[in-house]
Amino acid sequence: MKMPNDEYVDAKKIVYDWPYDKEALQRFYDDIYYKYEDGHDCLVEIDKQQTKWTMNLH
């Protein structure tokens, strides 16, 4: 299943205002990666919303 556009937009907003630590963000990324067949591609764009950490995009 591909990531629905509304969830993609929401994820970008969530990452932009991420109030938690790096480990929590990585868990959020992992959930996206494993849930959607296009998870990696989405994460590449979603991760551009934050510059605080270098994340594992799988």
Side-chain angles (χ1 to χ4, degrees):
M1 173 173 85
K2 292 193 175 194
M3 186 175 205
N5 190 57
D6 58 334
E7 288 186 37
Y8 172 75
V9 171
D10 289 345
K12 287 177 77 171
K13 289 177 186 174
I14 289 168
V15 170
Y16 181 78
D17 293 325
W18 191 257
Y20 307 110
D21 61 9
K22 179 181 180 179
E23 289 76 21
L25 182 59
Q26 187 62 59
R27 286 190 299 273
F28 181 72
Y29 281 18
D30 291 346
D31 289 343
I32 291 171
Y33 179 80
Y34 291 113
K35 186 174 182 180
Y36 301 108
E37 63 189 53
D38 61 345
H40 171 75
D41 297 331
C42 292
L43 287 174
V44 169
E45 294 303 315
I46 290 168
D47 191 55
K48 291 177 182 177
Q49 301 305 305
Q50 68 88 23
T51 57
K52 192 171 184 179
W53 301 296
T54 301
M55 304 302 295
N56 177 1
L57 306 179
H58 300 270

Coordinates of all heavy atoms in Angstrom, one line a residue:
M1 N 0.9 -1.2 0.0 CA 0.0 0.0 0.0 C 0.9 1.2 0.0 O 1.9 1.3 0.7 CB -0.9 0.0 1.2 CG -1.7 1.2 1.4 SD -2.9 1.2 2.8 CE -1.9 1.6 4.2
K2 N 0.5 2.2 -0.8 CA 1.3 3.5 -0.9 C 0.7 4.4 0.2 O -0.4 4.3 0.6 CB 1.2 4.1 -2.3 CG 1.9 3.2 -3.3 CD 2.1 4.0 -4.6 CE 2.9 3.1 -5.5 NZ 3.4 3.9 -6.6
M3 N 1.6 5.3 0.6 CA 1.2 6.3 1.6 C 0.2 7.3 1.0 O 0.5 7.9 0.0 CB 2.4 7.0 2.1 CG 2.2 7.9 3.3 SD 3.7 8.7 3.9 CE 3.2 9.0 5.6
P4 N -1.0 7.4 1.7 CA -2.0 8.3 1.2 C -1.5 9.8 1.3 O -0.7 10.1 2.2 CB -3.2 8.1 2.1 CG -3.0 6.8 2.7 CD -1.5 6.6 2.8
N5 N -1.8 10.6 0.3 CA -1.4 12.0 0.3 C -1.6 12.8 1.6 O -0.8 13.5 2.1 CB -1.9 12.7 -0.9 CG -1.3 14.0 -1.1 OD1 0.0 14.1 -1.3 ND2 -2.0 15.1 -1.1
D6 N -2.8 12.6 2.2 CA -3.2 13.3 3.4 C -2.3 12.9 4.5 O -1.8 13.8 5.3 CB -4.6 13.2 3.8 CG -5.1 11.8 4.0 OD1 -4.5 10.9 3.4 OD2 -6.1 11.6 4.7
E7 N -1.9 11.7 4.6 CA -1.0 11.2 5.7 C 0.4 11.7 5.4 O 1.2 12.1 6.4 CB -1.0 9.7 5.8 CG -2.2 9.1 6.4 CD -2.1 7.6 6.6 OE1 -1.0 7.1 7.0 OE2 -3.2 7.0 6.4
Y8 N 0.8 11.8 4.2 CA 2.1 12.3 3.8 C 2.2 13.8 4.2 O 3.2 14.2 4.8 CB 2.3 12.2 2.3 CG 3.5 12.8 1.7 CD1 4.8 12.3 1.9 CD2 3.4 14.0 1.0 CE1 5.9 12.9 1.4 CE2 4.5 14.6 0.4 CZ 5.7 14.1 0.6 OH 6.9 14.7 0.1
V9 N 1.2 14.6 3.9 CA 1.2 16.0 4.3 C 1.3 16.2 5.8 O 2.0 17.0 6.3 CB 0.0 16.7 3.7 CG1 -0.1 18.1 4.2 CG2 0.1 16.7 2.1
D10 N 0.5 15.3 6.5 CA 0.5 15.4 8.0 C 1.8 15.0 8.5 O 2.3 15.7 9.5 CB -0.6 14.4 8.5 CG -2.0 14.9 8.3 OD1 -2.2 16.1 8.0 OD2 -2.9 14.1 8.5
A11 N 2.5 14.0 8.0 CA 3.8 13.6 8.4 C 4.8 14.7 8.3 O 5.7 14.9 9.1 CB 4.2 12.3 7.7
K12 N 4.8 15.4 7.2 CA 5.7 16.5 6.9 C 5.5 17.6 8.0 O 6.4 18.2 8.5 CB 5.5 17.1 5.5 CG 6.1 16.2 4.4 CD 5.8 16.8 3.1 CE 6.8 17.9 2.8 NZ 6.7 18.3 1.4
K13 N 4.2 17.9 8.3 CA 3.9 18.9 9.4 C 4.4 18.4 10.7 O 5.0 19.2 11.5 CB 2.4 19.2 9.4 CG 1.9 19.9 8.2 CD 0.4 20.1 8.3 CE -0.1 20.8 7.0 NZ -1.6 20.8 7.0
I14 N 4.2 17.1 11.0 CA 4.6 16.6 12.3 C 6.1 16.7 12.5 O 6.7 17.1 13.5 CB 4.1 15.1 12.4 CG1 2.6 15.1 12.6 CG2 4.8 14.4 13.6 CD1 2.0 13.7 12.5
V15 N 6.9 16.3 11.4 CA 8.3 16.3 11.5 C 8.8 17.8 11.6 O 9.8 18.0 12.3 CB 8.9 15.6 10.3 CG1 10.4 15.8 10.2 CG2 8.6 14.1 10.4
Y16 N 8.2 18.7 10.9 CA 8.6 20.1 11.0 C 8.6 20.6 12.4 O 9.4 21.3 12.8 CB 7.7 20.9 10.0 CG 8.1 22.4 10.0 CD1 9.2 22.8 9.3 CD2 7.4 23.3 10.8 CE1 9.6 24.1 9.3 CE2 7.8 24.6 10.7 CZ 8.9 25.0 10.0 OH 9.2 26.4 10.0
D17 N 7.6 20.2 13.1 CA 7.4 20.7 14.5 C 7.7 19.6 15.6 O 7.2 19.6 16.7 CB 5.9 21.1 14.7 CG 5.6 22.4 13.9 OD1 6.4 23.2 13.8 OD2 4.4 22.4 13.4
W18 N 8.6 18.7 15.2 CA 8.9 17.5 16.1 C 9.4 18.0 17.5 O 10.4 18.6 17.6 CB 9.9 16.7 15.5 CG 10.1 15.4 16.2 CD1 11.1 15.0 17.0 CD2 9.2 14.3 16.1 NE1 10.9 13.8 17.5 CE2 9.7 13.3 17.0 CE3 8.0 14.0 15.5 CZ2 9.0 12.1 17.2 CZ3 7.3 12.8 15.7 CH2 7.9 11.9 16.5
P19 N 8.6 17.7 18.6 CA 9.0 18.2 19.9 C 9.8 17.2 20.7 O 10.1 17.5 21.9 CB 7.6 18.4 20.5 CG 6.8 17.3 19.9 CD 7.3 17.2 18.5
Y20 N 10.0 16.0 20.2 CA 10.6 14.9 21.0 C 12.1 14.7 20.6 O 12.6 15.4 19.8 CB 9.8 13.6 20.8 CG 8.3 13.8 21.1 CD1 7.4 13.8 20.1 CD2 7.9 14.1 22.4 CE1 6.0 14.0 20.3 CE2 6.5 14.3 22.6 CZ 5.6 14.3 21.6 OH 4.3 14.5 21.9
D21 N 12.6 13.6 21.1 CA 14.1 13.3 20.8 C 14.3 12.5 19.5 O 13.3 12.1 18.8 CB 14.7 12.5 22.0 CG 14.0 11.2 22.2 OD1 13.2 10.7 21.4 OD2 14.4 10.6 23.3
K22 N 15.5 12.3 19.2 CA 15.9 11.7 17.9 C 15.4 10.2 17.9 O 14.9 9.8 16.8 CB 17.4 11.7 17.7 CG 17.9 11.0 16.5 CD 19.4 11.0 16.4 CE 19.8 10.3 15.1 NZ 21.2 10.3 14.9
E23 N 15.4 9.5 19.0 CA 15.0 8.1 19.0 C 13.5 8.0 18.7 O 13.0 7.1 18.0 CB 15.3 7.5 20.3 CG 16.8 7.2 20.6 CD 17.6 8.5 20.9 OE1 17.0 9.5 21.4 OE2 18.8 8.5 20.6
A24 N 12.7 8.9 19.2 CA 11.3 8.9 18.9 C 11.0 9.2 17.4 O 10.1 8.6 16.8 CB 10.5 9.9 19.8
L25 N 11.8 10.1 16.9 CA 11.6 10.5 15.5 C 12.0 9.2 14.6 O 11.3 8.9 13.6 CB 12.5 11.7 15.1 CG 12.4 12.1 13.6 CD1 11.0 12.5 13.3 CD2 13.3 13.3 13.4
Q26 N 13.0 8.5 15.0 CA 13.4 7.3 14.3 C 12.3 6.3 14.3 O 12.0 5.6 13.3 CB 14.7 6.7 14.8 CG 15.3 5.6 14.0 CD 15.6 6.0 12.6 OE1 16.4 6.9 12.3 NE2 15.0 5.4 11.6
R27 N 11.7 6.1 15.5 CA 10.5 5.2 15.6 C 9.4 5.6 14.6 O 8.8 4.8 14.0 CB 10.0 5.1 17.0 CG 11.0 4.2 17.9 CD 10.4 3.9 19.2 NE 10.1 5.1 20.0 CZ 10.9 5.7 20.8 NH1 12.1 5.3 20.9 NH2 10.5 6.8 21.5
F28 N 9.1 6.9 14.5 CA 8.1 7.4 13.6 C 8.5 7.1 12.2 O 7.7 6.7 11.4 CB 8.0 9.0 13.9 CG 7.0 9.6 13.0 CD1 5.6 9.5 13.3 CD2 7.4 10.5 12.0 CE1 4.7 10.1 12.5 CE2 6.4 11.1 11.2 CZ 5.1 10.9 11.5
Y29 N 9.8 7.3 11.8 CA 10.2 7.0 10.5 C 10.1 5.5 10.2 O 9.7 5.1 9.1 CB 11.7 7.4 10.3 CG 11.9 8.9 10.1 CD1 10.9 9.9 10.3 CD2 13.1 9.4 9.6 CE1 11.2 11.2 10.1 CE2 13.4 10.7 9.3 CZ 12.4 11.6 9.6 OH 12.6 12.9 9.3
D30 N 10.5 4.7 11.2 CA 10.4 3.2 11.0 C 9.0 2.8 10.7 O 8.8 1.9 9.9 CB 11.0 2.5 12.2 CG 12.5 2.7 12.4 OD1 13.2 3.1 11.5 OD2 12.9 2.4 13.5
D31 N 8.1 3.4 11.5 CA 6.7 3.0 11.2 C 6.2 3.3 9.8 O 5.6 2.5 9.2 CB 5.7 3.8 12.2 CG 5.9 3.3 13.6 OD1 6.4 2.2 13.9 OD2 5.4 4.1 14.5
I32 N 6.6 4.5 9.3 CA 6.3 4.8 7.9 C 7.0 3.9 6.9 O 6.4 3.4 6.0 CB 6.7 6.3 7.6 CG1 5.8 7.2 8.4 CG2 6.6 6.6 6.1 CD1 6.2 8.7 8.4
Y33 N 8.3 3.6 7.2 CA 9.0 2.8 6.3 C 8.4 1.4 6.1 O 8.3 0.8 5.0 CB 10.5 2.6 6.7 CG 11.3 1.7 5.9 CD1 11.8 2.2 4.6 CD2 11.6 0.4 6.2 CE1 12.5 1.4 3.8 CE2 12.3 -0.4 5.4 CZ 12.8 0.1 4.2 OH 13.5 -0.7 3.4
Y34 N 8.0 0.8 7.3 CA 7.5 -0.6 7.2 C 6.0 -0.7 6.9 O 5.6 -1.7 6.4 CB 7.8 -1.3 8.6 CG 9.2 -1.6 8.8 CD1 10.0 -0.9 9.8 CD2 9.9 -2.4 8.0 CE1 11.3 -1.1 10.0 CE2 11.3 -2.7 8.2 CZ 12.0 -2.0 9.2 OH 13.3 -2.3 9.3
K35 N 5.3 0.4 7.0 CA 3.9 0.4 6.8 C 3.6 0.6 5.3 O 2.6 0.0 4.8 CB 3.2 1.5 7.6 CG 1.7 1.4 7.5 CD 1.0 2.4 8.4 CE -0.5 2.4 8.4 NZ -1.1 3.3 9.3
Y36 N 4.4 1.3 4.6 CA 4.1 1.7 3.2 C 5.1 1.2 2.2 O 6.3 1.3 2.5 CB 3.9 3.2 3.1 CG 2.8 3.8 3.9 CD1 3.1 4.5 5.1 CD2 1.5 3.5 3.7 CE1 2.1 5.0 5.9 CE2 0.5 4.0 4.5 CZ 0.8 4.8 5.6 OH -0.2 5.2 6.4
E37 N 4.7 0.7 1.1 CA 5.7 0.2 0.1 C 6.5 1.3 -0.5 O 7.6 1.1 -1.0 CB 4.9 -0.5 -1.1 CG 4.0 0.4 -1.9 CD 3.1 -0.4 -2.8 OE1 2.5 -1.4 -2.4 OE2 3.1 0.0 -4.0
D38 N 6.0 2.6 -0.5 CA 6.8 3.7 -0.9 C 7.4 4.5 0.3 O 7.7 5.7 0.2 CB 6.0 4.6 -1.8 CG 4.8 5.2 -1.1 OD1 4.4 4.7 -0.1 OD2 4.2 6.2 -1.7
G39 N 7.5 3.8 1.4 CA 8.0 4.5 2.7 C 9.3 5.2 2.5 O 9.5 6.3 3.0
H40 N 10.3 4.5 1.9 CA 11.6 5.2 1.8 C 11.5 6.4 1.0 O 12.1 7.5 1.3 CB 12.6 4.2 1.1 CG 13.9 4.9 0.7 ND1 14.8 5.2 1.7 CD2 14.4 5.3 -0.4 CE1 15.8 5.8 1.1 NE2 15.6 5.9 -0.2
D41 N 10.8 6.4 -0.2 CA 10.7 7.6 -1.0 C 10.0 8.7 -0.3 O 10.4 9.9 -0.4 CB 9.9 7.3 -2.3 CG 10.7 6.2 -3.2 OD1 11.9 6.2 -3.1 OD2 10.0 5.5 -3.9
C42 N 9.0 8.4 0.5 CA 8.3 9.4 1.3 C 9.2 10.0 2.4 O 9.2 11.2 2.6 CB 7.0 8.8 1.9 SG 5.7 8.4 0.7
L43 N 10.0 9.1 3.0 CA 10.9 9.6 4.1 C 11.9 10.5 3.6 O 12.3 11.5 4.3 CB 11.5 8.4 4.8 CG 10.6 7.6 5.7 CD1 11.3 6.4 6.2 CD2 10.1 8.4 6.9
V44 N 12.4 10.3 2.4 CA 13.4 11.2 1.8 C 12.8 12.7 1.8 O 13.5 13.6 2.2 CB 13.8 10.8 0.4 CG1 14.6 11.8 -0.3 CG2 14.6 9.4 0.5
E45 N 11.6 12.8 1.4 CA 11.0 14.1 1.3 C 10.6 14.6 2.7 O 10.7 15.8 3.0 CB 9.8 14.1 0.4 CG 10.2 13.9 -1.1 CD 11.2 14.9 -1.6 OE1 11.0 16.1 -1.4 OE2 12.2 14.5 -2.3
I46 N 10.0 13.8 3.5 CA 9.6 14.1 4.8 C 10.8 14.6 5.7 O 10.7 15.6 6.4 CB 8.9 12.9 5.5 CG1 7.5 12.6 4.9 CG2 8.7 13.2 7.0 CD1 6.9 11.3 5.3
D47 N 11.9 13.9 5.6 CA 13.1 14.3 6.3 C 13.6 15.7 6.0 O 14.3 16.2 6.8 CB 14.2 13.2 6.2 CG 15.3 13.4 7.2 OD1 15.0 13.4 8.4 OD2 16.4 13.5 6.7
K48 N 13.3 16.2 4.9 CA 13.8 17.5 4.5 C 13.1 18.6 5.4 O 13.6 19.8 5.4 CB 13.4 17.8 3.1 CG 14.3 17.0 2.1 CD 13.9 17.3 0.7 CE 14.7 16.4 -0.3 NZ 14.4 16.6 -1.7
Q49 N 12.1 18.2 6.2 CA 11.5 19.2 7.1 C 12.3 19.4 8.4 O 12.0 20.3 9.1 CB 10.1 18.7 7.4 CG 9.2 18.5 6.2 CD 9.1 19.7 5.4 OE1 8.7 20.8 5.9 NE2 9.4 19.6 4.1
Q50 N 13.3 18.6 8.6 CA 14.1 18.8 9.8 C 15.5 18.7 9.5 O 15.9 18.0 8.6 CB 13.7 17.7 10.9 CG 14.1 16.3 10.6 CD 15.5 15.9 11.0 OE1 16.1 16.5 11.9 NE2 16.1 14.9 10.4
T51 N 16.3 19.5 10.2 CA 17.8 19.5 9.9 C 18.6 19.3 11.2 O 19.8 19.4 11.2 CB 18.2 20.9 9.3 OG1 17.8 21.9 10.2 CG2 17.6 21.1 8.0
K52 N 17.9 18.9 12.3 CA 18.5 18.8 13.6 C 19.4 17.5 13.7 O 20.4 17.5 14.3 CB 17.5 18.8 14.7 CG 18.0 18.9 16.1 CD 16.8 19.1 17.0 CE 17.3 19.3 18.4 NZ 16.3 19.6 19.4
W53 N 18.9 16.4 13.0 CA 19.6 15.1 13.1 C 19.7 14.5 11.8 O 19.0 14.7 10.9 CB 18.8 14.1 14.0 CG 18.5 14.6 15.4 CD1 19.4 14.9 16.4 CD2 17.3 14.9 16.0 NE1 18.8 15.3 17.5 CE2 17.5 15.3 17.3 CE3 15.9 14.8 15.6 CZ2 16.5 15.7 18.2 CZ3 14.9 15.2 16.4 CH2 15.2 15.6 17.7
T54 N 20.7 13.5 11.7 CA 20.8 12.7 10.5 C 20.1 11.4 10.9 O 20.4 10.7 11.8 CB 22.3 12.4 10.2 OG1 22.9 13.6 10.0 CG2 22.4 11.5 9.0
M55 N 19.1 11.1 10.1 CA 18.2 9.9 10.4 C 18.5 8.8 9.4 O 19.0 9.0 8.3 CB 16.7 10.4 10.3 CG 16.4 11.5 11.1 SD 16.7 11.3 12.9 CE 15.5 10.0 13.3
N56 N 18.1 7.6 9.9 CA 18.2 6.4 9.1 C 16.9 6.3 8.3 O 15.8 6.1 8.8 CB 18.4 5.1 10.0 CG 18.4 3.9 9.2 OD1 18.3 3.9 8.0 ND2 18.5 2.8 9.9
L57 N 17.0 6.5 7.0 CA 15.8 6.4 6.1 C 15.7 5.0 5.5 O 14.8 4.8 4.6 CB 15.9 7.5 5.0 CG 16.2 8.9 5.5 CD1 16.3 9.9 4.3 CD2 15.1 9.3 6.4
H58 N 16.5 4.1 5.9 CA 16.5 2.7 5.5 C 16.9 2.7 4.0 O 16.8 2.0 3.2 CB 15.2 2.0 5.7 CG 14.8 2.0 7.1 ND1 15.1 1.0 7.9 CD2 14.1 2.9 7.9 CE1 14.7 1.2 9.1 NE2 14.0 2.4 9.1

